[in-house]
Amino acid sequence: RLGQKSERKIEPYRLVLKNSSWYIQGYCTLREDFRIFEVSNISSLKVLEETFIPREFDYDSQDIYFKTDRETITLKLLIHESLLDIMLELCGKDNITLYKDNKYIAYFPFVEDDYFYNIILRFGDKCECLEPEYVRVEIIKRIEKLLSIYKKPPK
C-alpha cells in the first residue's frame, strides 16, 4: 500500500529508466508474481549470496509503459523529431509513425491528472495534442492561466 513499508525479496530481471526514474522489474517471492519497484522507494537494500533459477520472463508482456490501475485514454500527438527518443520510451515504437518532414504522430497513453498534463506541457512547442478535443481545450486553459501569471508585473 502507498506509504507503507514492507520487506520484499525479489529475483531481479531488469533495470528500467522511465520518466527520469529507475525501476527494478523482478519476481517478488512474497506475492509470487512479477512486480515493478521504483528504486527511489527502496530504503534498505541487501544483496544476498543465494542464487535463483531464472523464471520465464516475457519482456513484451512485462512492459512498463504506463501500466496503471487508473483509467487511461490515448492522445494523438504531433511531435517534432527532437522528441522522438523520449516518445519511444513513453509510447513504444509501435505507437509512433512518421507524419511528414521532421514530424511524427504519437499515440500517447494518458491519465487525466496534473502529472500527465505537465508531461505534455513540458514539451513546449515541440508537441501538439491533436485529439481528443477536450484534452486540447484543457491544455489551452492551462497555458492561458500560466500566461496570465507572467503578463502581470512581478510583485
Side-chain angles (χ1 to χ4, degrees):
R1 291 196 177 98
L2 192 64
Q4 286 188 332
K5 289 187 178 187
S6 66
E7 187 171 314
R8 303 289 182 93
K9 182 174 164 183
I10 66 167
E11 300 168 357
Y13 281 75
R14 72 174 166 182
L15 190 62
V16 179
L17 178 64
K18 179 165 176 45
N19 297 336
S20 303
S21 294
W22 285 99
Y23 297 85
I24 295 175
Q25 271 187 294
Y27 185 84
C28 175
T29 59
L30 177 67
R31 301 287 184 221
E32 297 181 340
D33 197 8
F34 285 94
R35 293 286 195 255
I36 300 167
F37 301 92
E38 188 169 2
V39 173
S40 65
N41 290 335
I42 299 173
S43 60
S44 178
L45 180 68
K46 187 187 310 179
V47 179
L48 305 175
E49 292 294 322
E50 62 190 79
T51 60
F52 63 92
I53 297 171
R55 299 166 193 274
E56 192 172 315
F57 182 76
D58 181 354
Y59 283 87
D60 291 333
S61 69
Q62 295 295 325
D63 210 343
I64 70 166
Y65 293 110
F66 288 119
K67 281 193 175 176
T68 180
D69 294 336
R70 298 172 60 202
E71 184 178 336
T72 62
I73 60 171
T74 301
L75 302 188
K76 181 178 180 183
L77 304 176
L78 180 63
I79 62 165
H80 185 266
E81 68 184 350
S82 62
L83 295 179
L84 189 55
D85 286 342
I86 193 162
M87 291 309 256
L88 285 168
E89 177 189 334
L90 296 172
C91 304
K93 67 180 177 184
D94 294 339
N95 294 309
I96 299 174
T97 56
L98 181 62
Y99 176 65
K100 63 180 176 182
D101 301 324
N102 54 355
K103 305 271 184 166
Y104 291 81
I105 297 292
Y107 293 92
F108 178 73
F110 184 80
V111 175
E112 293 180 65
D113 67 8
D114 285 341
Y115 176 79
F116 278 82
Y117 276 106
N118 288 337
I119 289 173
I120 301 301
L121 290 169
R122 80 176 183 193
F123 297 137
D125 65 350
K126 304 293 186 221
C127 176
E128 179 184 357
C129 177
L130 302 176
E131 296 173 8
E133 181 65 24
Y134 75 93
V135 171
R136 184 179 170 87
V137 169
E138 178 61 25
I139 291 169
I140 291 168
K141 287 179 187 174
R142 289 168 184 250
I143 293 169
E144 287 174 342
K145 184 176 179 182
L146 182 62
L147 184 61
S148 72
I149 291 169
Y150 280 92
K151 283 195 166 187
K152 294 177 191 173
K155 295 180 179 184

